[in-house]
Amino acid sequence: KLRRKFETNLVSATADGAAVYFGRYNGLLTHLIESRLWLIIIHCVAHRAELSLKDYLLSIPEFKKLDETMIGLFHLFKKSGKLKRSIKKESKIQNVDAYVLPKVTGTRFVGHRLNAVKVLLHNWAVYMITFRKEIDERSPADKVRSKLIGYMKVLDDFKIRCAAFLFKKILSICSHLQ
């Protein structure tokens, strides 16, 4: 009896846009609409808004550069235990807490990027001091040294620093909408 109600009374369904729901051939909603021609399927408004925000923000060069830098730093820290130890050591010297840069990418653009930019802004000075020391200590042929030089240039750019604060503000506001 319940199954019959479901088959005849379902008029609308919403999902987050994942292929498991909206897939052209095997998506759940695709299968449902085959037997229920009246069914209205809706891509979740919150997810569409988040994807639109992501597309817009990453179309701005400073935000895109900041985003690429956060992703690059995340992977660099993940691979380099020596660099992580240097950051921890420098944070103790400076008498500040340095937080681990969280995963930047993921299914929720706003949440992941907001957490990452908060940590990046908090650790900014420690990163700059540590990177300078690491650059001075490493050989010119060291790949990590080259990456650190590039990241220092980006982090030292005034436009990128301003973008980081604006990025945080925009994402903080948008995080309340979900």
Side-chain angles (χ1 to χ4, degrees):
K1 190 172 181 176
L2 183 61
R3 180 179 172 170
R4 183 72 185 134
K5 276 188 169 184
F6 170 73
E7 289 175 351
T8 58
N9 294 343
L10 180 68
V11 293
S12 177
T14 187
D16 69 357
V20 71
Y21 299 113
F22 281 98
R24 181 182 291 175
Y25 303 110
N26 291 322
L28 173 66
L29 297 177
T30 306
H31 285 297
L32 284 175
I33 206 164
E34 286 174 356
S35 60
R36 296 157 188 85
L37 299 177
W38 66 87
L39 185 66
I40 299 169
I41 57 173
I42 303 163
H43 182 180
C44 176
V45 175
H47 290 109
R48 285 194 312 197
E50 187 168 356
L51 292 171
S52 298
L53 178 69
K54 175 184 178 183
D55 289 345
Y56 175 71
L57 289 177
L58 296 183
S59 73
I60 299 168
E62 290 80 11
F63 288 147
K64 184 165 180 62
K65 188 69 169 171
L66 175 66
D67 193 61
E68 291 168 351
T69 301
M70 290 191 302
I71 293 168
L73 286 172
F74 170 76
H75 290 293
L76 181 64
F77 295 149
K78 186 176 174 184
K79 293 177 184 174
S80 177
K82 181 182 186 290
L83 187 57
K84 282 192 278 194
R85 287 188 302 276
S86 296
I87 289 170
K88 191 173 185 177
K89 180 181 170 186
E90 188 60 42
S91 71
K92 285 183 181 180
I93 292 169
Q94 299 298 324
N95 198 27
V96 294
D97 291 329
Y99 306 120
V100 175
L101 190 65
K103 184 178 177 195
V104 181
T105 58
T107 54
R108 296 290 172 256
F109 172 80
V110 172
H112 282 90
R113 293 327 197 275
L114 179 58
N115 291 336
V117 78
K118 283 178 179 178
V119 170
L120 180 67
L121 287 169
H122 178 81
N123 293 349
W124 202 288
V126 173
Y127 287 170
M128 294 298 281
I129 294 166
T130 304
F131 291 177
R132 170 56 47 212
K133 288 180 178 180
E134 288 290 316
I135 289 166
D136 292 343
E137 291 175 6
R138 293 174 185 256
S139 78
D142 189 338
K143 288 182 181 179
V144 173
R145 182 181 187 271
S146 301
K147 288 180 181 184
L148 292 175
I149 291 170
Y151 290 131
M152 271 199 71
K153 285 181 183 176
V154 173
L155 295 176
D156 201 34
D157 184 345
F158 182 71
K159 285 182 179 180
I160 298 300
R161 278 185 268 171
C162 292
F165 283 103
L166 185 56
F167 201 56
K168 179 184 170 195
K169 187 67 173 172
I170 292 168
L171 295 175
S172 293
I173 292 167
C174 293
S175 69
H176 297 293
L177 302 176
Q178 296 181 351

